[in-house]
Amino acid sequence: MRSVLFHPVCRAGLLAAVFTVVAVFPLSAQSSLQPPPVPEAMHDVMDEFGRTVRLPLVPTRIVSLAPSLTETIYALGVQDRLVGDTDFCDYPADALRKTKVGGAINPNLEEIAALHPDLVLITKELNRMETVRALDTLGIPSYATDAHTVDDIITTTQKLADLLGVPEAGKSLTADLRQRLAALHTSLQSSPPTRVLFVVWTDPLISVGKGTFIADAIRQADGVSIVESAQDWPQINLEEVVRLQPDYLVFAASHSEGGTRDFDSLVNRPGWRILDAVRNRHFAVISDAVNRPAPRIVSSIEELAHQLHPAAFPENPAAPTPAKPSTTPASNPAHTASSMLTSPQETACAR
């Protein structure tokens, strides 16, 4: 075999051509040597709608479509990942600074999409299935919660902690909540249950049904709702309330700009003034947290227990302070106060 020899000039020209090709196409040559980008780690989970949804292992851009979910995100310490929430998300105060995507029932889908979330959190009770389908169409994954009891709320908190990649924070938080409830039940062991009417709205009179987490919160505070309705938001006949004579009327102090309701005025209203609870100024005013299926509901339960059963907590400096309404209270703030009540529709959205 004969070897082929190049003239020195030809050899120099060939080398120059090779270096020219490398200089012109450096990226394409190098890219063929690099491994392809690793896709984002995903996993399948089942939400409380019973849907199987595919989500990032650690979601980093979250939109919350319920105040209760926003509160839970903050309680778990991952609020830096919350890129948007609803107009009703007002606790803690920092939540007011998040980008708003409209109401819970009719959120602005364009605004949500513009935030490029990798997870939208919704609640089965508050948000509509149409919203879930619209998010699916946009390729935005969503996860639904559905809590009907206080225990459900605590369990859901742990599920969300696992979902968001902070299981230890969830374990610490839920353990504290369960310990506080256990301590409360120990204090209430010798106290007979107090019969109460939880007032959502006074005209018409609306309360909560026996299957709601609010009714369960009342039970956790050693109270018994006189309302046995299976509806979540039943309208109650005042004559029936007069017949049943609850020991206490329970109100959630609201910070909404709805109409002010002076509890003292009930004394002068037909029907209401016949109630022993009204004549005796037996009003319990607790935090609006009772309206939200989030970890803070335990504080409302403690507030209610201390107001319904003061004898069970003698000289307890750590006793929760009853929720203060937005206007100046009367002579006995534990039993007489003013409250800003929302409409039933606003109350539902505020969850």
Side-chain angles (χ1 to χ4, degrees):
M1 176 181 296
R2 292 188 303 166
S3 61
V4 179
L5 299 177
F6 289 96
H7 189 277
V9 175
C10 295
R11 186 182 300 114
L14 179 60
L15 291 174
V18 170
F19 285 123
T20 299
V21 171
V22 173
V24 173
F25 304 106
L27 294 179
S28 60
Q30 294 173 15
S31 64
S32 63
L33 301 176
Q34 293 178 348
V38 178
E40 185 178 10
M42 307 286 284
H43 66 150
D44 291 335
V45 297
M46 181 175 290
D47 73 357
E48 295 177 12
F49 263 139
R51 303 179 307 140
T52 298
V53 292
R54 193 162 184 77
L55 303 174
L57 278 177
V58 181
T60 58
R61 295 187 62 82
I62 305 166
V63 170
S64 163
L65 293 186
S68 58
L69 296 171
T70 295
E71 288 195 18
T72 303
I73 289 171
Y74 274 88
L76 292 172
V78 290
Q79 61 270 15
D80 57 318
R81 304 189 213 166
L82 182 65
V83 296
D85 60 19
T86 75
D87 297 338
F88 293 92
C89 294
D90 58 1
Y91 187 91
D94 185 68
L96 292 167
R97 292 192 282 269
K98 298 294 183 179
T99 300
K100 300 303 175 183
V101 298
I105 297 176
N106 291 299
N108 187 323
L109 295 172
E110 291 183 3
E111 187 70 37
I112 293 174
L115 292 172
H116 304 290
D118 53 13
L119 173 63
V120 174
L121 292 176
I122 61 176
T123 68
K124 187 175 180 180
E125 179 188 36
L126 181 56
N127 305 114
R128 299 186 306 158
M129 195 63 192
E130 288 84 348
T131 299
V132 175
R133 295 192 186 100
L135 291 171
D136 287 344
T137 300
L138 293 171
I140 301 174
S142 61
Y143 179 93
T145 64
D146 185 28
H148 295 278
T149 66
V150 173
D151 187 66
D152 286 348
I153 294 169
I154 297 174
T155 299
T156 292
T157 298
Q158 183 62 56
K159 287 182 180 179
L160 289 174
D162 296 340
L163 189 72
L164 301 179
V166 287
E168 293 306 316
K171 290 176 183 177
S172 175
L173 175 58
T174 56
D176 175 68
L177 298 175
R178 294 190 189 281
Q179 186 277 327
R180 287 164 60 187
L181 287 174
L184 192 65
H185 296 158
T186 298
S187 298
L188 295 171
Q189 279 181 344
S190 59
S191 301
T194 300
R195 298 169 65 254
V196 307
L197 172 67
F198 186 89
V199 181
V200 175
W201 195 248
T202 57
D203 190 14
L205 176 56
I206 294 176
S207 186
V208 293
K210 61 182 180 180
T212 63
F213 66 85
I214 297 178
D216 188 54
I218 293 171
R219 288 191 289 269
Q220 298 282 345
D222 207 13
V224 177
S225 174
I226 64 169
V227 179
E228 289 292 324
S229 174
Q231 299 178 26
D232 287 348
W233 302 93
Q235 184 170 327
I236 309 301
N237 189 315
L238 187 54
E239 293 179 359
E240 180 66 8
V241 176
V242 171
R243 185 184 70 82
L244 294 172
Q245 288 292 345
D247 300 315
Y248 266 78
L249 303 183
V250 180
F251 296 81
S254 176
H255 302 287
S256 168
E257 294 183 358
T260 302
R261 295 289 190 268
D262 186 346
F263 294 168
D264 278 341
S265 69
L266 295 180
V267 176
N268 300 316
R269 295 175 62 177
W272 289 94
R273 60 192 176 199
I274 305 176
L275 292 174
D276 291 340
V278 172
R279 288 200 299 263
N280 297 327
R281 301 295 193 272
H282 281 183
F283 298 108
V285 186
I286 59 176
S287 165
D288 275 337
V290 73
N291 287 323
R292 296 180 176 179
R296 200 164 53 110
I297 197 171
V298 172
S299 297
S300 290
I301 294 170
E302 291 170 333
E303 291 173 10
L304 181 58
H306 280 79
Q307 293 185 64
L308 297 182
H309 305 284
F313 307 95
E315 299 179 1
N316 182 0
T321 302
K324 295 291 184 64
S326 56
T327 57
T328 304
S331 57
N332 188 346
H335 294 163
T336 344
S338 300
S339 176
M340 302 292 282
L341 296 177
T342 62
S343 69
Q345 292 81 4
E346 289 173 321
T347 300
C349 289
R351 294 186 177 186

